[in-house]
């Protein structure tokens, strides 16, 4: 009786695993969030409406990184027209070295209009770099 029950449980587990794997492989909406260097990231664009926009960001790693922060900020008008790119560096404060966390705000001057940003965050540990691109909400500048 124990053998029959054990065999039944093994077959049920095998079928469940195969169905789950088949579903995951066939579903294009499932995204992989695992990262070797990034553990958390947040980016949003804000504006007080008076000629500038602020990119607020926070990037974290589970480990101490060689570099962490923002690789690039691409600004677009609300209709999708590309405006400009700001590249991250240590001198503009978008990249920190020898840290496991970077959180700050970066101010961008823009003419009147509606804008959004595509911001690429990253973290590098040794030869491993991982990045994610976040599209912000649209803000209005007058």
């Amino acid at each position: 009786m124990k053998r029959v029950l054990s065999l039944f449980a093994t077959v049920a587990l095998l079928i469940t695993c195969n169905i789950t794997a088949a579903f995951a492989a066939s579903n294009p909406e499932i995204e992989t969030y695992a990262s070797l260097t990034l553990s958390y990231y947040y980016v949003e664009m804000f504006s007080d409406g008076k000629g500038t926009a602020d990119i607020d960001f926070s990037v974290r790693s589970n480990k101490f990184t060689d570099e962490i922060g923002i690789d690039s900020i691409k600004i677009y008008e609300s209709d999708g027209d590309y405006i400009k790119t700001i590249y991250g560096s240590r001198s503009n404060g978008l990249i920190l070295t020898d840290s496991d966390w970077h959180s700050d705000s970066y101010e961008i001057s823009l003419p009147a209009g509606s804008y959004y940003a595509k911001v690429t965050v990253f973290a590098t540990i040794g030869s491993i770099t991982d990045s994610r691109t976040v599209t912000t909400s649209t803000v209005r500048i007058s």
Side-chain angles (χ1 to χ4, degrees):
M1 183 66 173
K2 286 184 181 180
R3 276 192 179 169
V4 172
L5 188 56
S6 177
L7 180 61
F8 177 75
T10 303
V11 170
L13 183 61
L14 186 61
I15 289 171
T16 303
C17 289
N18 284 334
I19 289 171
T20 305
F23 174 75
S26 67
N27 191 340
E29 294 181 23
I30 294 177
E31 294 183 35
T32 302
Y33 289 103
S35 172
L36 296 174
T37 63
L38 292 170
S39 64
Y40 170 83
Y41 52 92
Y42 163 83
V43 178
E44 192 52 75
M45 187 175 190
F46 297 98
S47 177
D48 61 6
K50 297 180 176 132
T52 62
D54 290 321
I55 302 290
D56 290 354
F57 65 94
S58 182
V59 186
R60 293 185 186 139
S61 177
N62 289 332
K63 301 176 182 174
F64 213 69
T65 65
D66 297 321
E67 289 188 325
I68 190 167
I70 292 182
D71 182 57
S72 65
I73 302 170
K74 295 184 179 185
I75 305 295
Y76 295 87
E77 289 182 323
S78 60
D79 63 4
D81 288 345
Y82 168 79
I83 301 299
K84 66 180 174 180
T85 300
I86 297 113
Y87 293 99
S89 69
R90 284 180 243 133
S91 62
N92 66 13
L94 293 174
I95 296 176
L96 278 184
T97 57
D98 301 324
S99 181
D100 61 350
W101 173 69
H102 187 21
S103 184
D104 206 348
S105 184
Y106 185 81
E107 187 175 270
I108 303 167
S109 295
L110 294 166
S114 293
Y115 302 92
Y116 68 92
K118 291 187 179 183
V119 181
T120 302
V121 299
F122 81 101
T124 300
I125 300 172
S127 63
I128 300 170
T129 298
D130 200 2
S131 64
R132 299 287 190 272
T133 301
V134 177
T135 302
T136 68
S137 57
T138 301
V139 298
R140 175 91 183 126
I141 297 176
S142 49

